[in-house]
């Protein structure tokens, strides 16, 4: 994993993303809410969890050195009370808050930060986020198994952490705001081993009280949380196994406060047009792309003509109609709001005849059999069926594997299991607002590893080198040229067609009338659909 995920802070991006602030009304303390999900949670380990469902939960159980202002892309300090950056951009010195305790009662200190980052990078942890920290000195030695300690992290005292980078990385503070950088206590990890994700211990606003697998998780307020007045709620019950349509019916009856899987497309117009509910819908414009991956290592998808044919066979406009127009068709990996998006790029046209000709040229004029893995929550299976029907027009016979989210993610992370994956319900939402984040984890060589999120298993070392060169452009007057260079990287990758970019979607969440104010429930643009720490009820 030599590619370094770098970038620059883009505070101006906040102006292009519609995010909702906290309510102007005075939040009320106390109370509890019920949140529903169809599928169980795979893990609550911050080093491993990497889907939108558990990302929100983990965010409420753990803290890191940095975080974001609620509902924005604006960075703020978290467990660090302040920090300094050296003039050369290579040394970050974080000063920790004193008196912050883990849920087990022990004070969090600098050695815990060092241990947590080293644990995430250690290949034995199998963290999909390890590559984010590749700019820290000593990363290669830990990633290769030669060492278990990052030489670039030192702890001069219990409340100071110094991190030395091997190359300047203007996105490093964004990386330290990821869940993967959350601080965990070594003694709890060692006690539970691989089961730490079922017995999480952090410093967060909530702590796990109970987890009945497949049924319910209960979070309770951390009375010793370092932020005064946060969280507002005393308790959150996450009910598992709730079909989304049933969850909405229960929400209408007042039995549920947040329908965690969102509004099924079939009911979207009803809720939007219902005066009793349209004001309870929260809209978030996220840095999001939904895409179909094609495993470039599995025949016949290892032939570029076949992948280009599949790109030209899929009717994206029809798929957008399936979700009631809640998205726009995509032609490249980057979403329109991301710097580097190429407005002039046209991508692959919808052209069934040309798609057939490409298959004939590749020697597959009679088509072939393959599989599409898809998350089992509506509308994802219906979207997969639309893709299946489109592919049938060119002779590609695709069997649909509709599975729980965790199982689809696991299949995509296995090099020999999933020929194609429809990413809907798990589709990429930026971890931080920079185009580099759309490369390394999902298209770069570093993501093409067991357990990774590069489900196309695409590895173009020349483009990885171009990515490194783009991220070396850190001067303020280089940013326009840097964004353009990033855009060229993504459109060049589309020449190899590892993906079919399908659409860029907004996220709609609905909550009960007893939630405090119209903005008590908001959608964060940076990966976290719901931030439970700031939710309150009337």
């Amino acid at each position: 994993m030599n590619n370094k995920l770098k970038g620059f802070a883009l505070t101006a991006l906040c102006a292009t993303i519609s995010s909702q602030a906290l309510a102007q009304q005075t939040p009320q303390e106390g109370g509890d809410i019920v949140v529903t999900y169809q599928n169980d949670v795979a893990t609550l380990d911050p080093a491993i969890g990497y889907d939108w469902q558990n990302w929100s939960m983990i965010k409420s159980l753990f803290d890191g050195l940095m975080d974001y202002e609620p509902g924005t892309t604006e960075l703020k300090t978290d467990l660090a009370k302040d920090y300094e950056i050296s003039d050369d951009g290579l040394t970050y010195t974080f000063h920790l808050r004193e008196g912050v305790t883990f849920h087990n009662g022990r004070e969090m200190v600098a050695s815990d930060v060092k241990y947590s980052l080293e644990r995430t990078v250690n290949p034995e942890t199998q963290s999909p986020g390890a590559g984010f920290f590749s700019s820290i000195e000593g990363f290669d030695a830990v990633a290769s198994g030669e060492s278990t300690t990052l030489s670039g992290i030192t702890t001069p005292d219990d409340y100071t952490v110094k991190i030395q980078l091997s190359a300047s990385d203007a996105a490093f503070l964004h990386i330290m705001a990821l869940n993967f950088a959350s601080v965990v206590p070594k003694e709890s990890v060692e006690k539970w081993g691989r089961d730490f994700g079922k017995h999480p211990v952090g410093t967060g606003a909530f702590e796990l009280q109970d987890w009945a697998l497949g049924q319910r998780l209960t979070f309770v307020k951390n009375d010793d949380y370092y932020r005064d007045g946060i969280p507002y709620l005393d308790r959150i019950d996450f009910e598992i196994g709730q079909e989304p349509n049933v969850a909405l019916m229960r929400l209408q009856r007042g039995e549920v406060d947040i329908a965690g899987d969102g509004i099924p497309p079939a009911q979207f117009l009803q809720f939007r047009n219902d005066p009793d509910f349209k004001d309870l819908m929260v809209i978030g414009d996220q840095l999001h792309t939904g895409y179909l991956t094609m495993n470039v290592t599995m025949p016949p998808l290892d032939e570029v003509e076949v992948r280009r044919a599949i790109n030209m066979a899929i009717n994206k406009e029809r798929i957008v109609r399936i979700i009631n127009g809640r998205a726009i068709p995509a032609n490249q990996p980057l979403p329109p709001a991301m710097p580097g998006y190429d407005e002039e790029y046209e991508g692959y046209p919808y052209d069934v005849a040309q798609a057939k000709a490409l298959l004939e040229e590749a020697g597959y004029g009679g088509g072939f059999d393959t599989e599409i893995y898809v998350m089992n929550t509506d509308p994802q299976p219906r979207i997969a069926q639309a893709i299946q029907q489109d592919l049938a027009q060119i002779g590609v016979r695709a069997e649909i594997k509709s599975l729980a989210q965790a199982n689809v993610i696991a299949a995509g992370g296995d090099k020999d299991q999933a020929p194609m994956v429809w990413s809907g319900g798990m589709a990429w939402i930026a971890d931080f607002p920079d185009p580099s984040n759309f490369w390394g984890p999902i298209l770069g060589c570093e993501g093409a590893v067991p357990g990774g999120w590069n489900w196309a298993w695409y590895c173009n070392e020349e483009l990885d080198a171009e990515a490194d060169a783009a991220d070396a452009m850190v001067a303020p007057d280089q940013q326009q040229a840097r964004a353009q260079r990033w855009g060229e990287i993504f459109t060049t990758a589309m020449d190899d067609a590892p993906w079919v970019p399908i659409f860029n979607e907004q996220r709609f969440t609905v909550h009960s009338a007893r939630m405090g104010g119209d903005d008590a429930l908001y959608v964060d643009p940076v990966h976290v659909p719901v931030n439970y720490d700031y939710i309150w009820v009337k």
Side-chain angles (χ1 to χ4, degrees):
M1 291 191 239
N2 294 320
N3 183 49
K4 294 178 174 59
L5 279 152
K6 302 179 233 175
F8 56 97
L10 296 167
T11 55
L13 185 62
C14 299
T16 68
I17 298 177
S18 62
S19 56
Q20 299 195 35
L22 294 176
Q24 296 301 311
Q25 301 149 284
T26 302
Q28 304 298 310
E29 293 188 13
D32 56 81
I33 64 171
V34 175
V35 182
T36 62
Y37 287 109
Q38 179 169 342
N39 295 319
D40 206 353
V41 181
T43 181
L44 291 174
D45 186 337
I48 298 174
Y50 204 17
D51 61 66
W52 65 265
Q53 181 176 331
N54 63 24
W55 195 271
S56 298
M57 296 180 180
I58 289 170
K59 203 73 175 174
S60 291
L61 298 172
F62 296 89
D63 297 309
L65 297 179
M66 301 295 297
D67 199 0
Y68 293 94
E69 291 291 344
T72 76
T73 59
E74 182 181 348
L75 282 163
K76 68 173 183 177
T77 58
D78 193 358
L79 294 179
K81 62 181 179 181
D82 55 50
Y83 59 88
E84 297 106 31
I85 306 173
S86 62
D87 291 340
D88 61 8
L90 294 177
T91 305
Y92 288 69
T93 302
F94 296 93
H95 302 283
L96 305 184
R97 300 180 190 275
E98 300 182 20
V100 176
T101 58
F102 289 110
H103 299 149
N104 63 10
R106 179 174 70 77
E107 185 181 16
M108 183 276 304
V109 293
S111 59
D112 295 308
V113 177
K114 178 177 171 65
Y115 165 77
S116 300
L117 295 176
E118 291 172 341
R119 173 178 179 259
T120 295
V121 171
N122 192 319
E124 292 186 2
T125 304
Q126 296 184 329
S127 171
F132 285 115
F133 306 96
S134 61
S135 61
I136 299 177
E137 278 193 358
F139 172 85
D140 290 341
V142 176
S144 65
E146 296 176 10
S147 175
T148 58
T149 60
L150 288 166
S151 60
I153 302 180
T154 57
T155 55
D157 57 58
D158 280 349
Y159 304 106
T160 305
V161 178
K162 286 192 173 183
I163 302 180
Q164 184 74 22
L165 305 185
S166 56
S168 58
D169 185 354
F172 188 68
L173 292 178
H174 285 288
I175 292 167
M176 299 309 291
L178 295 174
N179 278 359
F180 298 121
S182 298
V183 182
V184 300
K186 181 178 181 179
E187 65 273 19
S188 294
V189 174
E190 292 183 340
K191 175 182 178 180
W192 295 107
R194 291 289 182 184
D195 287 334
F196 178 70
K198 294 292 191 293
H199 303 274
V201 177
T203 62
F206 290 93
E207 54 188 299
L208 177 67
Q209 182 184 70
D210 182 61
W211 188 347
L213 295 179
Q215 301 177 47
R216 177 189 302 264
L217 295 88
T218 299
F219 287 9
V220 294
K221 179 178 182 177
N222 176 7
D223 291 324
D224 296 321
Y225 192 47
Y226 82 86
R227 289 180 184 158
D228 292 338
I230 302 295
Y232 303 117
L233 294 172
D234 292 330
R235 173 183 173 124
I236 307 174
D237 284 315
F238 298 95
E239 296 187 359
I240 306 301
Q242 293 289 307
E243 198 276 329
N245 290 304
V246 175
L248 284 179
M249 291 174 57
R250 294 185 61 205
L251 188 144
Q252 290 174 296
R253 295 197 299 263
E255 301 170 2
V256 167
D257 295 294
I258 301 173
D261 290 309
I263 306 170
Q267 295 181 268
F268 173 71
L269 294 177
Q270 170 193 340
F271 271 80
R272 188 180 67 179
N273 297 329
D274 188 332
D276 292 332
F277 280 93
K278 67 178 182 180
D279 291 335
L280 302 179
M281 291 175 58
V282 181
I283 304 172
D285 288 332
Q286 302 183 85
L287 296 170
H288 162 282
T289 300
Y291 51 91
L292 178 74
T293 63
M294 292 173 282
N295 190 323
V296 301
T297 71
M298 297 180 69
L301 298 174
D302 58 343
E303 298 195 31
V304 68
E305 292 86 358
V306 172
R307 300 194 300 271
R308 290 171 179 169
I310 290 174
N311 264 274
M312 300 179 78
I314 295 176
N315 186 341
K316 300 173 186 179
E317 296 280 359
R318 183 166 73 107
I319 293 174
V320 168
R321 290 196 294 271
I322 290 174
I323 58 172
N324 289 326
R326 297 186 301 168
I328 59 173
N331 62 12
Q332 59 192 285
L334 289 180
M338 182 70 83
Y341 178 82
D342 188 347
E343 295 183 358
E344 303 299 320
Y345 180 71
E346 296 182 357
Y348 293 95
Y350 173 53
D351 189 331
V352 175
Q354 182 61 25
K356 289 180 178 179
L358 284 172
L359 278 188
E360 184 74 36
E361 179 183 340
Y364 292 94
F368 59 89
D369 297 321
T370 188
E371 294 174 338
I372 301 174
Y373 282 70
V374 60
M375 181 179 168
N376 60 5
T377 302
D378 187 68
Q380 312 312 333
R382 290 192 290 122
I383 293 174
Q385 289 167 5
I387 295 172
Q388 179 189 50
Q389 293 164 8
D390 287 341
L391 294 182
Q393 293 185 85
I394 63 171
V396 176
R397 299 169 294 277
E399 179 184 355
I400 293 175
K401 299 285 189 180
S402 181
L403 306 171
Q405 182 183 68
N407 294 333
V408 177
I409 293 171
D414 184 337
K415 189 174 184 179
D416 301 318
Q417 187 170 352
M420 291 191 283
V421 179
W422 162 242
S423 70
M426 310 165 293
W428 197 253
I429 302 172
D431 296 290
F432 49 86
D434 187 83
S436 63
N437 184 231
F438 263 70
W439 183 258
I442 53 178
L443 278 167
C445 296
E446 71 174 45
V449 295
W453 275 63
N454 184 346
W455 300 333
W457 291 85
Y458 177 69
C459 177
N460 186 321
E461 293 181 356
E462 291 183 4
L463 289 182
D464 267 14
E466 278 293 304
D468 282 342
D471 282 339
M473 302 168 68
V474 297
D477 61 358
Q478 293 180 307
Q479 296 318 303
Q480 183 175 352
R482 176 181 182 270
Q484 181 177 349
R485 192 167 187 174
W486 262 118
E488 292 171 354
I489 290 170
F490 285 99
T491 54
T492 300
M494 284 305 298
D495 290 342
D496 292 331
W499 282 12
V500 182
I502 303 290
F503 55 60
N504 306 114
E505 183 182 14
Q506 290 182 311
R507 180 165 177 82
F508 295 79
T509 304
V510 62
H511 61 88
S512 67
R514 77 187 190 105
M515 302 297 294
D518 292 339
D519 299 328
L521 178 69
Y522 59 82
V523 179
D524 266 327
V526 185
H527 210 298
V528 187
V530 177
N531 191 323
Y532 298 110
D533 296 10
Y534 296 90
I535 292 175
W536 54 281
V537 296
K538 296 177 181 177

